Amino acid sequence: MAHTALTAGQASARLHELTVIDVRTPGEYATGHLPDAHNIPLDHLDAALPALKVAAERGDLLVVCASGARSVEACRRLAEAGITAATLTGGTSTWTQLGHDVHRPAGVRAPWPMERQVRLAAGSLVLSGLLAGRLRPGARWISAGVAGGLVFSAVTDTCGMARLLAKLPYNRPKATDLDSTLTALSGGRPSV
């Protein structure tokens, strides 16, 4: 089943009638999200399916991420569960580039966006492998492995390193935050 995609302009015009689901990590979400967006990280989507089904019965869902890749994956998984949702073309990156409003939690220090975390980790591993390779030539395989992983990531439009980094404590949601979001989507009070 193909998913529907909305441009930033289309989504902005309909924002008042959409339930926005942000599938980025909590750290990315804290850097700025669409107004009234609910944060359900992609790796918690299956647990949220019952609440998302209830929310979809009340109105249209818009799924967003940083660039649109994770939201397309989320829409595919939602469609498999019988839930219709649209994705935001270009994600929050395009949304903010076009000057649309974003909200940031007050008093929360946001970790770096996931893409920046991946660049730091990959670059550090490559550099470490090259430097260690001066003493032990076999250490260069670290750099080769990271390079191969980056090529694979580009070809498959997936990122194993991002999935690993998303499991770090500062990128993980607190159970009460996710519980609050699911309660809000099921008809309780808003969590944002």
Side-chain angles (χ1 to χ4, degrees):
M1 170 187 258
H3 67 276
T4 303
L6 297 178
T7 65
Q10 291 169 325
S12 179
R14 295 187 53 208
L15 202 55
H16 64 282
E17 65 187 52
L18 297 169
T19 299
V20 181
I21 308 299
D22 192 319
V23 294
R24 298 176 298 161
T25 66
E28 292 174 292
Y29 176 80
T31 64
H33 54 271
L34 274 67
D36 298 324
H38 299 275
N39 185 219
I40 301 176
L42 187 59
D43 61 346
H44 288 73
L45 192 65
D46 291 339
L49 289 175
L52 291 170
K53 189 171 282 233
V54 170
E57 290 170 358
R58 287 194 312 267
D60 293 337
L61 299 182
L62 175 65
V63 182
V64 301
C65 67
S67 66
R70 285 177 281 179
S71 60
V72 167
E73 167 68 14
C75 285
R76 183 192 61 76
R77 288 169 53 188
L78 290 171
E80 289 173 357
I83 303 169
T84 303
T87 184
L88 178 63
T89 303
T92 55
S93 297
T94 299
W95 179 269
T96 55
Q97 286 171 356
L98 294 174
H100 294 289
D101 188 31
V102 293
H103 291 183
R104 291 174 182 82
V108 174
R109 183 175 175 205
W112 288 354
M114 187 56 63
E115 179 190 355
R116 188 173 179 191
Q117 292 181 47
V118 168
R119 289 192 319 251
L120 175 68
S124 297
L125 286 169
V126 168
L127 185 58
S128 297
L130 291 174
L131 291 175
R134 294 185 66 160
L135 299 174
R136 297 202 181 263
R140 291 186 184 129
W141 284 105
I142 295 170
S143 300
V146 172
L150 291 170
V151 170
F152 179 80
S153 175
V155 170
T156 62
D157 198 22
T158 62
C159 187
M161 188 177 290
R163 288 185 184 191
L164 286 174
L165 291 171
K167 296 186 184 305
L168 292 174
Y170 57 84
N171 283 327
R172 301 211 56 171
K174 295 176 181 72
T176 54
D177 293 341
L178 187 58
D179 291 342
S180 172
T181 297
L182 298 179
T183 299
L185 289 171
S186 296
R189 291 179 37 162
S191 66
V192 291

